[in-house]
Amino acid sequence: MRPIGVFGGTFDPIHVGHIMPVLDICELTGIEQVRYVPNARPSHRGTPRTAPEHRWNMTVLALADYPQLVADDREINRPGKSFMVPTLRSMRSEFGLRPLSLILGMDAFLQITQWYWWAEILKLANIIVINRPGAKVPAVLPVWWSRALKSHTRVLYERMSGNIVHLDVPLIDVSATRLRISMSRGEEHPDALPAEVAKYISEHQLYSASGVAG
Ligand code: ATP
């Protein structure tokens, strides 16, 4: 069965580093649909600068040109903290027997053991890890990681959960934190932001030094 990709984040703002690597993954694996899940209230990091509805609107605008990338509002609509496990459970009931592939940048994956009920994640989904500038694979992998690691993408189709695949996709050296800092200084980022997102940010003054982000 064709897997469904799941890509969560604060997307504050969504940028090319969130889009190009995922398109590469679709090409490499044949995954036909990736659900982008902006989190409303992250559980494992501070409150995002920008209100969930703005981050949702930017996600919708950024994905409009890519029919295989679908904005998914289940965490935006769910009250309370945005934990990944309930998200995967609700996808599991929605998508039945289609395997789920949770996509994570290496920086996020390296923190996964700090997530709530993290071991449950590998019972609900497979994980695709992509490289991110500055995030290095440890020289010695923990046992749970090396046991789950597979070198073939076909496990993403054959197994519902429990496997980790690293995919080498071209690195995109963009981070939302750096974008927020430089936009607050008035700089523009035509190469790092989808045009409609850049327009939305400027219309709503989201990251300017004086802007009201919430
Ligand atoms: P921030 O700087 O605010 O932490 P971010 O740019 O890391 O933001 P997030 O929304 O936190 O973006 O990340 C969502 C997911 O996207 C994570 O899995 C993260 O590793 C991945 N990601 C973000 N930027 C890149 C990038 N340039 N290349 C590959 N993966 C990325």
Side-chain angles (χ1 to χ4, degrees):
M1 281 246 195
R2 284 195 179 270
I4 300 272
V6 183
F7 191 53
T10 44
F11 304 138
D12 186 19
I14 189 163
H15 54 66
V16 293
H18 295 128
I19 298 172
M20 304 322 287
V22 174
L23 293 173
D24 291 331
I25 289 173
C26 292
E27 192 147 328
L28 283 169
T29 62
I31 289 179
E32 283 175 334
Q33 185 185 137
V34 177
R35 313 289 295 205
Y36 276 61
V37 190
N39 52 35
R41 287 160 292 276
S43 54
H44 58 283
R45 56 185 285 174
T47 307
R49 177 180 161 137
T50 314
E53 52 270 38
H54 284 312
R55 294 184 286 108
W56 167 256
N57 290 340
M58 289 190 279
T59 304
V60 170
L61 289 170
L63 304 184
D65 290 340
Y66 307 104
Q68 70 274 49
L69 311 183
V70 178
D72 186 309
D73 60 4
R74 74 192 70 211
E75 289 191 2
I76 293 286
N77 291 334
R78 197 167 66 217
K81 293 270 184 199
S82 305
F83 298 112
M84 181 52 75
V85 165
T87 298
L88 293 175
R89 284 203 185 115
S90 91
M91 289 197 178
R92 163 88 18 265
S93 51
E94 181 175 343
F95 298 115
L97 292 175
R98 293 182 72 173
L100 302 173
S101 283
L102 176 65
I103 299 167
L104 293 171
M106 183 60 79
D107 61 313
F109 182 68
L110 290 173
Q111 312 253 319
I112 198 170
T113 56
Q114 290 164 39
W115 294 15
Y116 282 84
W117 316 292
W118 74 272
E120 198 64 25
I121 290 173
L122 271 169
K123 294 183 184 156
L124 291 160
N126 295 308
I127 298 181
I128 296 174
V129 188
I130 51 174
N131 298 330
R132 181 137 190 219
K136 290 208 170 67
V137 184
V140 180
L141 300 185
V143 174
W144 62 267
W145 181 345
S146 59
R147 277 201 188 135
L149 191 61
K150 302 291 180 314
S151 53
H152 290 289
T153 56
R154 65 171 180 272
V155 293
L156 304 173
Y157 287 70
E158 292 170 353
R159 301 283 162 83
M160 297 291 282
S161 61
N163 301 283
I164 298 170
V165 175
H166 292 193
L167 288 182
D168 257 326
V169 295
L171 292 177
I172 309 249
D173 193 7
V174 176
S175 95
T177 304
R178 291 205 311 263
L179 287 174
R180 289 194 299 275
I181 292 169
S182 74
M183 284 190 283
S184 74
R185 296 189 196 120
E187 290 160 29
E188 290 183 1
H189 293 279
D191 296 335
L193 291 169
E196 289 302 312
V197 172
K199 200 164 142 215
Y200 186 93
I201 289 171
S202 113
E203 277 167 14
H204 294 268
Q205 297 274 297
L206 291 187
Y207 302 103
S208 61
S210 58
V212 182

